[in-house]
């Protein structure tokens, strides 16, 4: 029996040892972290975690594989982040005092320093999950108050790293400064929410700002993290929709690299872009600003993202000569009552937080006289080994230093923006916990309408209340999250201006508010902006100046579309807008003006009656017709004289009538072409010349036949056969044939008014289209035929033995006629517009004057000035004259020698 009892006790002992061993394995510390921050957990039911970048960076260490790895130390104290952390503590204290939120529960806090590095942020995250300072996230061994949610972890890159871990457990995380758009992806980050808008909104706002000022040539600089890369990516996508081009796109090195920084500075110097958009945190950007300050780069305007718009690290007076006029987006700010007093209520003697001691030493440049000085001395040694030097003041701190006399961003409450986001994050968690606490049983949101226990809930249960939390802050701002865990964006647009010649001030010049459903409200007060330009006017940032109306864009091969040449539109094409891609052809009745920016009515050209050329031609026509009429009057007055009666005075009068007709036809060619004038002028001209040439032919045929009969034995018979009636018949036959051709022409192919736009682009030549060229050639071809017959017959009869030989003058008249019209053809074909009509009128007038001068002027000379020669004896050659003014023909001279005279002059009966 005793052996059995001993055996049973042995088994129980072994089981207890195994259980103790297993538990030891579960909670064994496999890696200690060197985490610093603030802790207040005793006496509180729930804890809210927080992560803030109290330092700018970690100290690089050359770890040896022979030694145990150590958690890196941090350096570069961040006053701004301490203010953020104090805002979290202030909000928790405020909530604990309220009776309307979590009345029976008090909240504590545990805050870690991320040192602005992912590794430290992950260390803090693992510590939150395990409850201990170890790297074993699947077990939480802390026996203290449960952790409700985590606020943080600062920048987007840090929050992305921590959210991936917390999301595995669906552990609630509320960001206050992580605006990267990728965090809206609930598939990757299911438990992340934030009190700052997504960069999707900010990128659209910056793109709208760039578009508003007409900047089409922009440089971009991004931090080498998700915040910078995604922010610039979204910005590029938005501005490219509006035709904006990227001059250069550079990335800031995550770890300081002088060569990389110098390359960016050189790119900024060489670029013609005067606008530079920077998506970066102030910490990552500080090294670039230092490098630019050492150069002479000015005249650039920087557009800042919200991460550094109000950063005191960048808004340094020594940077104002090149950063003055910077325009940036910033989250809305608020004045938090009582917060300034709370910030001043900090002292190393009030606690034992290492960060408070470090803050005091950095604020007053002294060393706190405790064993903690040894801690910072070790940090300084490690920093020196890493190539940096941390200044440790030999002056001891007294504790009587006054924060009001210090100058740092910790106590600056003028720009509480991220600070306000931290405040909102705390209240968001508090309202979610409150809603969870007041859940009524049997009416809960969980399966079977159950409620969760506020002191023992699962992370996913609190996530439900966080997503559905809706409340109003003391600023009357409503808080609510969309399905992506984001809030609506509402940004102030700030301008960096010099204040009191001492500090940089952030002047609000506008606002950008997301209204949802793709709409937004964008306002800019131009008069409030300080521009960093010599003339204080908005800078221009274009690769190529805009193409003015009248020109179009010509793409440069291998360059962005914003880089182009302005090419003038061709004649007849215009552009009436700036930066047109294609020229527009003018309508047929219009033509481009000299600037190629407007289509104007084409000038209608015709030989007008009110211009000098038209008036001159009309005068010559009327003058010629008047001369002919004058000769007609002379002929009528002296119709019974021998010279008038010689060779059919009826034909002579008809020739004079036809010449009046041809002279006056010229007037039909002057003036705006009309349908009736187009039909009348060529017909009248053809009929006039036909009548004239037919009558001349009737005269010259008689003269030719007389010439022939004078040489034959049947002179008297020839005279009887050539009576004046036959001459009229010849004229009528010629005129009838021409009239028939003209009638057919008018019936079948009548002329019409034609707008000639082919000859000249800038003008519409209003002219007559002659209809059928064949009929026109037939009409004037018949006139040419009559002229040739007249010339031949006159040439044959040129040596008649008259004292006044009409055939000789007709021959000269026909020669003039031919010369004129042969010269007319090439001149007519080589001219355009109204001068073409003028050439035809000159030909008509010249030929008409030629016929008038050759046929009638000699007769008029004898009739008026030599009336003694106007007798039948002298005209017929039967009497000898001593007047040499009109020399006799060879025939009359020979007759005179032979004392025999033969009359060849036909007198009217």
């Amino acid at each position: 029996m005793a052996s059995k009892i001993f055996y049973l006790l042995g088994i129980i002992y072994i089981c207890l040892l195994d259980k103790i061993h297993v538990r030891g394995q579960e909670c064994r510390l496999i890696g200690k972290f060197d985490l610093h921050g603030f802790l207040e957990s005793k006496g509180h039911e729930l804890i809210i975690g927080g992560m803030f970048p109290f330092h700018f960076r970690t100290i690089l260490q050359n770890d040896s594989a022979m030694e145990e790895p150590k958690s890196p130390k941090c350096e570069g104290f961040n006053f701004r982040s301490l203010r953020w952390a104090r805002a979290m503590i202030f909000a928790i204290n405020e909530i604990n005092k309220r009776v309307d939120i979590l009345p029976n529960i008090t909240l504590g806090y545990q805050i870690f320093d991320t040192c602005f590095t992912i590794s430290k942020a992950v260390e803090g995250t693992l510590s939150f999950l395990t409850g201990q300072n170890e790297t074993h996230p699947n077990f939480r061994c802390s026996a203290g108050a449960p952790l409700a949610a985590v606020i943080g972890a600062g920048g987007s890159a840090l929050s992305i790293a921590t959210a991936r871990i917390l999301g595995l457990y669906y552990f609630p995380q509320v960001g206050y400064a992580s605006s990267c758009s990728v965090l809206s992806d609930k598939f990757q980050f299911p438990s992340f929410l934030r009190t700052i808008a997504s960069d999707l909104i900010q990128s659209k706002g910056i793109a709208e700002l760039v578009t508003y000022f007409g900047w089409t040539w922009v440089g971009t600089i991004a931090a080498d993290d998700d915040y910078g890369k995604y922010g610039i990516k979204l910005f590029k996508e938005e501005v490219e929709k509006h035709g904006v081009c990227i001059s250069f796109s550079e990335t800031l090195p995550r770890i300081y690299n002088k060569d990389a920084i110098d390359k960016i500075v050189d790119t900024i110097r060489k670029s013609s872009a005067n606008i530079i958009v920077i998506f970066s945190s102030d910490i990552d950007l500080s090294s670039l600003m230092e490098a630019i300050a050492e150069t002479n780069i000015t005249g650039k305007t920087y557009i800042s993202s919200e991460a550094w718009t109000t950063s005191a690290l960048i808004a340094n007076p020594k940077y104002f000569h090149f950063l003055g006029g910077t325009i940036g987006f910033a989250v809305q700010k608020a004045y938090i009552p009582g917060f300034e007093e709370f910030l001043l209520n900090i002292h190393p003697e009030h606690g034992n937080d290492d960060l408070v001691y470090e803050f005091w030493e950095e604020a007053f440049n002294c060393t706190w006289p405790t064993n903690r000085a040894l801690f910072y001395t070790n940090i300084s040694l490690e920093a020196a080994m890493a190539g940096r030097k941390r200044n440790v003041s030999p002056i001891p701190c007294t504790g009587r230093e006054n924060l009001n006399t210090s100058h740092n961003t910790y106590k600056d409450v003028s720009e509480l923006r991220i600070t306000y986001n931290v405040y909102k994050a705390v209240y968001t968690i508090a309202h979610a916990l409150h809603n969870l606490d007041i859940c009524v049983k049997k009416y809960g949101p969980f399966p079977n309408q159950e409620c969760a226990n506020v002191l023992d809930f699962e992370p996913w249960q609190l996530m439900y209340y966080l997503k559905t939390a809706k409340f109003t802050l003391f600023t009357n701002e409503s808080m609510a999250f969309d399905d992506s865990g984001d809030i609506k964006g509402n940004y102030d647009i700030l301008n960096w201006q010099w204040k009191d010649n001492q500090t940089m001030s952030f002047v609000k010049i506008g606002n950008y508010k997301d209204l949802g459903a793709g709409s937004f409200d964008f306002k800019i007060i131009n008069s409030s902006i300080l521009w960093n330009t010599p003339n204080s006017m908005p800078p221009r940032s274009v690769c190529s100046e805009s193409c003015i109306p009248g020109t179009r864009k010509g793409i440069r091969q291998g360059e962005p579309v914003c880089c182009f040449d302005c090419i003038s539109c061709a004649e007849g094409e215009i552009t009436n807008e700036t930066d047109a891609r294609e020229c527009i052809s003018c309508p047929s009745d219009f033509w481009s003006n000299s600037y190629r920016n407007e289509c104007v009515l084409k000038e209608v050209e015709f030989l007008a009656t009110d211009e000098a050329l038209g008036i001159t031609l009309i005068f010559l026509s009327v003058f010629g017709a008047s001369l002919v009429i004058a000769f007609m009057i002379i002929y009528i007055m002296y119709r019974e004289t021998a010279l008038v009666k010689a060779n059919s005075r009826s034909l002579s009068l008809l020739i004079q009538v036809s010449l009046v007709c041809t002279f006056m036809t010229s007037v039909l060619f002057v003036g705006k072409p009309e349908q009736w004038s187009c039909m009348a002028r060529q017909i009248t001209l053809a009929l006039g010349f036909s009548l004239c040439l037919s009558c001349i032919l009737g005269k010259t045929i008689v003269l030719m036949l007389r010439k022939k009969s004078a040489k034959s034995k049947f002179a008297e018979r020839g005279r009887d056969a050539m009576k004046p009636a036959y001459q009229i018949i010849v004229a009528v036959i010629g005129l009838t044939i021409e009239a028939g051709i003209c009638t057919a022409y008018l019936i079948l192919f009548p002329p019409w008014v034609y707008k000639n736009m082919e000859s000249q682009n800038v003008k519409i030549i209003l002219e007559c289209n002659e209809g059928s060229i064949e009929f026109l050639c037939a009409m004037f071809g018949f006139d040419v035929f009559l002229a040739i017959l007249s010339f031949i017959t006159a040439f044959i009869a040129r040596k008649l033995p008259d004292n006044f030989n009409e055939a000789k003058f007709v021959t000269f008249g026909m020669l003039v006629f031919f010369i004129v019209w042969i010269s007319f053809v090439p001149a007519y074909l080589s001219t355009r517009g109204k001068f073409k009509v003028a050439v035809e009128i000159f030909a008509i007038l010249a030929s008409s004057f030629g016929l008038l001068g050759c046929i009638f002027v000699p007769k008029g000379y004898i009739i008026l000035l030599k009336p003694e020669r106007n007798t039948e004896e002298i005209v017929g050659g039967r009497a000898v004259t001593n007047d040499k003014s009109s020399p006799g023909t060879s025939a009359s001279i020979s007759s005179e020698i032979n004392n025999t005279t033969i009359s060849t002059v036909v007198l009217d009966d």
Side-chain angles (χ1 to χ4, degrees):
M1 186 67 179
S3 60
K4 289 183 179 180
I5 294 174
F6 181 77
Y7 178 74
L8 181 62
L9 290 173
I11 292 175
I12 293 173
Y13 176 74
I14 292 172
C15 291
L16 289 174
L17 286 177
D18 184 65
K19 187 173 183 181
I20 292 171
H21 175 73
V22 170
R23 288 195 175 184
Q25 288 293 325
E26 289 178 354
C27 295
R28 184 174 62 87
L29 300 179
I30 62 175
K32 293 290 285 184
F33 298 146
D34 185 15
L35 295 173
H36 298 273
F38 299 96
L39 176 64
E40 178 64 43
S41 60
K42 293 181 180 180
H44 300 289
E45 288 78 13
L46 294 172
I47 301 298
I48 297 178
M51 288 188 283
F52 299 90
F54 294 116
H55 294 87
F56 292 140
R57 54 191 170 266
T58 57
I59 301 173
L60 296 177
Q61 293 178 334
N62 297 323
D63 294 332
S64 172
M66 305 300 293
E67 299 178 357
E68 180 184 358
K70 297 179 181 179
S71 181
K73 305 292 183 181
C74 302
E75 65 175 350
F77 193 79
N78 189 345
F79 292 97
R80 191 181 182 200
S81 290
L82 179 60
R83 186 180 71 224
W84 298 346
R86 295 281 290 172
M88 175 179 170
I89 298 172
F90 174 79
I92 290 175
N93 293 341
E94 198 174 62
I95 292 169
N96 289 336
K97 295 176 182 177
R98 294 181 60 164
V99 296
D100 57 332
I101 302 176
L102 299 173
N104 299 319
I105 294 173
T106 59
L107 301 176
Y109 55 84
Q110 186 172 16
I111 299 172
F112 289 135
D113 180 12
T114 66
C115 298
F116 201 69
T117 58
I118 293 176
S119 61
K120 279 292 183 181
V122 171
E123 287 181 4
T125 303
L126 294 176
S127 297
F128 282 134
L129 289 173
T130 62
Q132 294 192 28
N133 197 2
E134 61 173 356
T135 57
H136 207 305
N138 285 326
F139 299 92
R140 180 171 177 83
C141 299
S142 174
L147 184 72
V150 174
I151 295 175
S156 295
L158 307 184
S159 291
I160 289 173
T162 57
R164 291 191 187 279
I165 299 174
L166 294 173
L168 295 174
Y169 307 96
Y170 215 66
F171 200 91
Q173 179 182 1
V174 182
Y176 55 87
S178 307
S179 57
C180 182
S181 60
V182 73
L183 285 166
S184 299
D185 185 355
K186 295 301 105 178
F187 181 78
Q188 296 187 66
F189 311 100
S191 62
F192 183 83
L193 301 94
R194 52 188 167 188
T195 56
I196 187 173
S198 168
D199 279 338
L200 179 63
I201 308 300
Q202 182 178 199
S203 297
K204 288 182 178 180
I206 296 177
E208 187 66 26
L209 176 73
V210 169
T211 305
Y212 174 82
F213 286 108
W215 299 323
T216 59
W217 191 234
V218 178
T220 62
I221 299 175
D224 190 15
D225 55 19
D226 292 316
Y227 171 74
K229 292 177 180 178
Y230 278 97
I232 287 297
K233 175 179 176 291
L234 293 170
F235 168 75
K236 289 180 180 179
E237 291 175 356
E238 288 297 322
V239 294
E240 285 173 358
K241 296 176 184 178
H242 299 89
V244 179
C245 298
I246 305 301
S247 171
F248 63 86
S249 188
E250 295 291 340
T251 302
L252 292 167
R254 187 70 178 172
I255 300 175
Y256 179 77
N257 185 316
K258 187 177 186 304
D259 292 337
I261 294 296
D262 289 343
K263 177 179 176 293
I264 297 174
V265 172
D266 190 57
T267 300
I268 295 173
R269 181 190 296 109
K270 293 179 179 178
S271 175
S272 59
N274 293 323
I275 303 299
I276 301 174
V277 178
I278 302 179
F279 260 87
S280 172
S281 65
D282 53 350
I283 299 172
D284 288 336
L285 185 60
S286 58
S287 57
L288 176 62
M289 294 295 105
E290 284 288 345
I292 294 177
E294 295 174 359
T295 65
N296 193 28
I297 299 177
T298 57
K300 307 290 184 180
T301 297
Y302 297 87
I303 309 299
S304 65
S305 63
E306 42 73 32
W308 65 278
T309 295
T310 58
S311 168
L313 182 64
I314 306 300
N316 195 313
K318 68 179 181 179
Y319 299 153
F320 185 78
H321 68 282
F322 66 91
L323 281 182
T326 292
I327 297 177
F329 276 56
V331 297
Q332 280 195 312
K333 69 176 181 179
Y335 173 74
I336 303 176
F339 182 58
E340 185 175 9
E341 293 77 9
F342 179 79
L343 288 176
L344 297 176
N345 186 24
I346 186 173
H347 199 279
E349 294 178 350
H350 295 170
N352 58 355
D353 295 307
D354 292 336
L355 291 175
V356 177
Y357 287 101
E358 186 178 0
F359 159 72
W360 201 265
E361 292 177 343
E362 292 289 341
F364 299 106
N365 193 24
C366 63
T367 302
W368 191 261
T370 65
N371 58 356
R372 287 178 177 80
L374 178 61
F375 170 77
Y376 291 110
T377 302
N378 293 333
I379 292 180
S380 300
L381 291 174
E382 292 175 1
M385 293 174 63
R388 298 185 183 89
K389 182 178 181 181
R390 182 181 186 272
N391 295 324
V392 178
S393 175
I395 303 174
C397 299
T398 63
R400 294 189 297 271
E401 291 83 5
N402 187 356
L403 278 176
N404 289 319
T405 62
S406 65
H407 298 283
N408 54 64
T409 57
Y410 169 75
K411 65 184 186 66
D412 183 7
V413 295
S414 62
E415 296 290 333
L416 298 181
R417 300 180 186 274
I418 301 299
T419 305
Y420 181 50
N421 284 351
V422 174
Y423 183 86
K424 290 190 290 185
V426 175
Y427 266 86
T428 299
I429 296 173
H431 275 278
L433 289 170
H434 180 74
N435 292 337
L436 185 150
D437 184 38
I438 63 174
C439 175
V440 180
K441 292 184 177 180
K442 303 299 182 180
Y443 293 97
F446 304 118
N448 300 321
Q449 297 182 330
E450 292 294 327
C451 295
N453 184 354
V454 72
L455 298 178
D456 185 19
F457 58 85
E458 296 296 327
W460 60 269
Q461 292 175 319
L462 180 60
M463 274 302 302
Y464 169 80
Y465 287 101
L466 280 172
K467 289 181 177 179
T468 58
K470 292 182 180 179
F471 61 95
T472 302
L473 292 157
F474 70 93
T475 58
N476 291 326
E477 178 184 357
S478 297
M479 279 294 299
F481 298 100
D482 60 17
D483 294 338
S484 299
D486 297 327
I487 63 172
K488 288 185 178 181
N490 193 352
Y491 293 92
D492 292 336
I493 303 176
L494 307 180
N495 181 223
W496 288 20
Q497 300 183 12
W498 194 240
K499 179 182 179 182
D500 301 329
N501 294 325
Q502 293 180 346
T503 59
M504 200 91 80
S505 64
F506 309 111
V507 179
K508 183 177 179 180
I509 60 169
N511 178 263
Y512 182 85
K513 184 177 183 180
D514 175 34
L515 301 178
S519 60
F520 58 86
D521 181 33
F522 178 75
K523 295 179 181 177
I524 285 288
I525 306 173
N526 292 310
S527 59
S528 301
I529 303 176
L530 169 70
W531 296 107
N532 190 16
T533 55
N535 56 3
S536 299
M537 296 297 291
R540 288 189 57 77
S541 187
V542 295
C543 181
S544 301
E545 291 295 333
S546 296
C547 291
I548 62 174
T551 60
R552 65 174 179 84
K553 288 183 177 180
I555 298 175
R556 296 177 185 172
Q557 293 296 329
E559 296 188 31
V561 295
C562 297
C563 301
F564 48 82
D565 296 317
C566 294
I567 303 173
S568 181
C569 291
E571 290 187 349
E573 296 181 343
I574 66 158
T575 56
N576 53 10
E577 59 183 13
T578 304
D579 288 336
R581 295 187 177 274
E582 297 293 338
C583 296
I584 306 170
S585 297
C586 291
S588 57
D589 287 353
F590 290 80
W591 195 250
S592 56
N593 60 2
S594 58
Y595 299 103
R596 305 287 196 275
N597 61 1
E598 184 181 5
C599 285
V600 295
L601 278 170
K602 289 183 178 179
E603 178 185 350
V604 179
E605 182 180 273
F606 56 88
L607 188 57
T609 56
D610 56 351
E611 60 178 299
L613 182 58
I615 294 172
T616 301
L617 294 175
I618 292 174
F619 172 77
L620 292 175
S621 300
V622 174
F623 176 71
S626 300
L627 285 179
V628 177
I629 293 172
F631 277 103
M632 288 178 64
I633 294 172
I634 292 172
Y635 263 58
I636 294 171
M637 291 176 62
Y638 296 94
R639 61 182 177 278
E640 298 300 332
T641 60
L643 193 58
V644 175
K645 292 170 63 177
N647 202 5
S648 183
R649 60 186 171 192
S650 300
L651 288 180
S652 296
L653 289 172
L654 286 176
I655 293 173
Q656 291 170 346
V657 171
S658 67
L659 287 176
V660 171
C661 180
T662 56
F663 273 118
M664 295 309 296
T665 299
S666 301
V667 178
L668 297 177
F669 285 83
V670 182
K672 183 179 181 181
E674 302 287 350
Q675 184 66 27
W676 66 269
S677 63
C678 288
M679 297 177 68
R681 63 187 189 178
Q682 297 291 3
I683 297 300
T684 306
L685 179 62
L687 290 174
F689 275 127
S690 177
L691 177 60
C692 178
L693 295 172
S694 297
C695 292
I696 292 174
L697 180 60
K699 280 178 169 285
T700 56
I701 288 177
V702 171
L703 294 175
M704 182 189 69
L705 293 177
R706 287 295 184 182
K707 172 69 175 175
K708 296 292 185 181
S709 64
K711 295 181 180 180
S712 66
K713 300 178 181 179
F714 306 99
E716 194 65 30
R717 185 185 300 176
R719 180 178 178 179
D720 294 338
M722 292 174 283
K723 294 181 178 180
Y726 300 147
Q727 294 175 295
I728 299 296
I729 292 173
V730 171
V732 170
I733 292 173
L735 182 61
T736 302
I737 295 173
E738 184 70 32
I741 297 173
C742 291
T743 302
Y745 173 48
L746 290 176
I747 294 173
L748 299 177
F749 302 99
W752 73 89
V753 180
Y754 172 64
K755 294 180 178 180
N756 184 350
M757 302 180 187
E758 294 79 21
S759 298
Q760 296 187 41
N761 292 328
V762 297
K763 296 180 180 179
I764 298 176
I765 301 175
L766 202 61
E767 59 187 15
C768 293
N769 188 299
E770 307 302 346
S772 172
I773 299 298
E774 292 79 7
F775 268 103
L776 192 67
C777 292
M779 282 194 310
F780 290 103
F782 183 71
D783 287 341
V784 172
F785 174 70
L786 293 177
I788 292 173
L789 289 180
S790 299
F791 174 74
I792 293 173
T793 54
F795 184 77
I796 295 173
R798 74 188 184 283
K799 292 184 180 180
L800 281 173
D802 299 338
N803 283 326
F804 186 86
N805 189 353
E806 189 176 22
K808 180 178 62 175
F809 296 108
V810 171
T811 301
F812 285 123
M814 289 298 100
L815 286 174
V816 172
F817 185 86
F818 286 131
I819 292 170
V820 169
W821 286 103
I822 290 173
S823 303
F824 158 77
V825 173
Y828 184 80
L829 295 177
S830 62
T831 54
R832 293 289 182 270
K834 62 183 179 181
F835 298 104
K836 189 174 184 178
V837 178
V839 167
E840 187 171 359
I841 296 174
F842 276 122
I844 296 170
L845 294 176
S847 58
S848 299
F849 275 112
L851 293 175
L852 176 63
C854 291
I855 297 175
F856 294 105
V857 170
K859 290 185 178 183
Y861 172 76
I862 292 175
I863 293 171
L864 295 177
L865 301 179
K866 300 292 182 179
E868 66 275 6
R869 296 186 57 198
N870 190 6
T871 62
E872 291 185 10
E873 291 77 9
I874 295 176
V875 172
R878 294 190 294 272
V880 180
T881 178
N882 294 322
D883 189 357
K884 304 299 180 183
S885 62
S886 182
T889 65
S890 57
S892 63
I893 294 172
S894 61
S895 300
E896 192 176 290
I897 293 172
N898 296 327
N899 241 347
T900 303
T901 302
I902 301 172
S903 177
T904 58
V905 178
V906 178
L907 300 177
D908 292 340
D909 296 334

